[in-house]
């Protein structure tokens, strides 16, 4: 069910009136609900939002890529007339979810909107907070920065700004360049696809940027869909854009560097996400509530090939650096459980 524009506008006004101002008292920590503390009193509301979404959006704390993806769909609507990470996709969902590139995000928006209104926080803040909290539930993800204080007002983004999996690498890189991201930073952002892929698999399986470089052998579902290419693992869906960016000369070396350096990947992913989450915002007008974001769960396993795979299955594309030698996990060929419908 979609709320009428009138109700949304009213909710926006109400939420704006409760957006806190910057604190000038950094020395003493504020005590929030359940004895938790934050550097800023204004951040306390986010602990209550966190409890609510862990229970009602993430089934008690599950890794959630879908919610994280929404941060991107809102933020990348920037240039030259859209206003980035401003909540526009929620304020103007009647317009923006009709864009083909935003196909499917309406459901998660309708789930999130009432929670944002209930807690009196702005839509732009809520989308970024939910995304940061959702991905931090994924093993191996970094604890992302969360800046609060976006106004609860936005204009609808124009169509055509959200890259799609079927787009060419050049088209995707140009769109990101227009929004201020270098080709390497695009790779850094795409790390979310492999980090959050942990959502759908056996936690003992190490899904990584490496998987994207394996030779594709099958489709997980009913044959090829638009934007999908052959996957190396039974049950895994592979996006055409991930496949192509992992092999493109402009981005292959950054991609390959993450195969054995998880720390570099998470550090760069965090930095790129900080940039995405504040796209179109003035950072000095925001305040830092990162201490509300849960600590992430570290990976317990180093890089390896999935069981049943060989080094010759890797399509290495970085000319400058040799591909590291990896051994395969023991056991039968790895498969990935299908994503529930
Ligand atoms: Ca937006």
């Amino acid at each position: 069910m979609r709320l009428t524009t009138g109700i949304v506008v009213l909710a926006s006004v109400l939420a704006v009136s409760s957006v806190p101002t910057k604190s000038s008292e950094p020395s003493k920590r504020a005590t929030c609900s359940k004895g938790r503390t934050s550097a800023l009193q204004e951040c306390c509301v986010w602990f209550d939002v966190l409890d609510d979404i862990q229970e009602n959006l993430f089934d008690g704390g599950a890794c959630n890529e879908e919610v994280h993806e929404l941060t991107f769909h809102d933020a990348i609507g920037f240039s030259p007339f859209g206003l980035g990470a401003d909540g526009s996709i929620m304020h103007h969902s009647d317009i923006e979810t009709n864009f083909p590139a935003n196909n499917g995000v309406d459901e998660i928006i309708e789930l999130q909107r009432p929670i944002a209104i209930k807690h009196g926080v702005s839509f732009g803040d809520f989308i970024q907070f939910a995304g940061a909290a959702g991905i931090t539930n994924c093993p191996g993800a970094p604890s992302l920065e969360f800046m609060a204080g976006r106004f609860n007002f936005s204009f609808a983004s124009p169509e055509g700004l959200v890259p799609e999996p079927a787009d060419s690498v050049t088209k995707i890189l140009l769109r990101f360049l227009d929004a201020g991201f270098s080709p390497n930073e695009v790779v850094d952002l795409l790390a979310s696809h492999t980090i959050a892929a942990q959502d759908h698999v056996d936690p003992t399986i190490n899904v990584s940027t490496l998987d994207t470089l394996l030779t594709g052998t099958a489709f997980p579902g009913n044959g090829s869909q638009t934007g999908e290419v052959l996957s190396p693992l039974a049950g895994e869906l592979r996006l055409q854009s991930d496949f192509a960016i992992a092999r493109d000369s402009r981005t292959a070396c950054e991609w390959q560097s993450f195969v054995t350096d998880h720390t570099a990947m998470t550090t760069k992913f965090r930095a790129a996400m900080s940039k995405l989450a504040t796209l179109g915002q003035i950072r000095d007008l925001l305040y830092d509530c990162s201490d509300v974001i849960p600590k992430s769960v570290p990976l317990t396993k180093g890089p390896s090939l999935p069981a049943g795979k060989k080094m010759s299955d890797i399509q290495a594309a970085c000319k400058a650096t040799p591909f590291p030698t990896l051994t395969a996990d023991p056991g039968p060929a790895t498969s990935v459980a299908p994503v529930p419908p």
Side-chain angles (χ1 to χ4, degrees):
M1 191 190 69
R2 192 160 285 156
L3 295 175
T4 66
T5 308
I7 294 174
V8 172
V9 169
L10 176 63
S12 309
V13 171
L14 289 172
V16 157
S17 65
S18 63
V19 168
T21 52
K22 207 176 233 179
S23 170
S24 55
E25 181 61 61
S27 55
K28 196 162 134 277
R29 288 186 71 81
T31 302
C32 310
S33 61
K34 299 182 185 171
R36 293 168 290 193
T37 65
S38 170
L40 298 174
Q41 180 68 45
E42 297 90 316
C43 297
C44 281
V45 64
W46 293 105
F47 281 116
D48 303 328
V49 176
L50 181 65
D51 292 344
D52 204 339
I53 63 177
Q54 289 286 36
E55 187 62 35
N56 298 309
L57 280 182
F58 306 144
D59 301 326
C63 166
N64 192 304
E65 187 191 23
E66 192 185 29
V67 171
H68 179 77
E69 285 286 306
L70 188 60
T71 66
F72 168 72
H73 286 266
D74 187 33
I76 200 67
F78 169 77
S79 163
F81 306 109
L83 289 169
D86 55 0
S88 68
I89 203 161
M90 193 173 282
H91 284 123
H92 306 285
S93 57
D94 52 333
I95 297 170
E96 293 193 28
T97 63
N98 285 323
F99 303 160
N102 290 336
N103 186 22
V105 302
D106 51 340
E107 259 179 57
I108 191 70
I109 289 170
E110 298 309 319
L111 286 174
Q112 290 190 1
R113 185 191 286 111
I115 308 177
I117 292 171
K118 176 177 156 192
H119 292 280
V121 295
S122 74
F123 292 171
D125 280 356
F126 184 86
I127 288 170
Q128 295 306 323
F129 180 80
I135 199 131
T136 304
N137 288 337
C138 307
S143 191
L144 293 185
E145 176 185 71
F146 171 60
M147 303 295 287
R150 292 165 191 76
F151 287 115
N152 208 18
F153 174 83
S154 62
F155 296 102
S157 167
E159 190 171 356
L161 299 182
V162 182
E164 295 191 73
D167 289 346
S168 70
V169 175
T170 296
K171 186 176 177 190
I172 291 171
L173 294 183
L174 284 175
R175 176 73 271 275
F176 274 102
L177 206 57
D178 187 39
F181 292 86
S182 70
N184 280 353
E185 285 175 323
V186 175
V187 175
D188 303 346
L189 285 173
L190 288 176
S192 69
H193 287 173
T194 49
I195 288 171
Q198 298 277 1
D199 184 11
H200 309 304
V201 300
D202 182 331
T204 62
I205 297 171
N206 192 23
V207 171
S208 70
T209 43
L210 167 67
D211 292 356
T212 315
L213 290 168
L214 292 168
T215 306
T217 52
F219 288 108
N222 305 320
S224 176
Q225 310 290 319
T226 304
E228 183 187 358
V229 293
L230 288 171
S231 155
L233 302 175
E236 184 190 67
L237 187 146
R238 176 184 268 181
L239 293 176
Q240 179 186 310
S241 48
D242 286 2
F243 173 89
I245 287 171
R247 287 160 181 75
D248 191 278
S249 61
R250 292 162 287 188
T251 42
C253 290
E254 181 79 352
W255 196 286
Q256 181 179 303
S257 75
F258 292 160
V259 169
T260 51
D261 195 344
H262 188 76
T263 304
M265 180 175 82
T266 53
T267 304
K268 289 179 171 185
F269 170 60
R270 190 180 194 276
M273 275 310 302
S274 298
K275 193 167 166 179
L276 184 75
T278 54
L279 210 54
Q281 300 289 323
I282 300 167
R283 273 186 74 93
D284 284 352
L285 297 180
L286 305 177
Y287 49 93
D288 194 341
C289 292
S290 304
D291 57 8
V292 179
I293 301 293
K295 291 284 161 283
S296 49
V297 185
L299 280 185
T300 52
K301 192 169 166 299
S304 58
L305 290 167
K309 296 293 179 186
K310 310 179 293 296
M311 284 296 293
S312 57
D313 292 322
I314 294 171
Q315 297 173 326
C318 172
K319 300 272 187 281
T321 318
F323 199 87
T325 303
L326 301 171
T327 52
D329 295 332
T334 305
S335 72
V336 177
V339 181

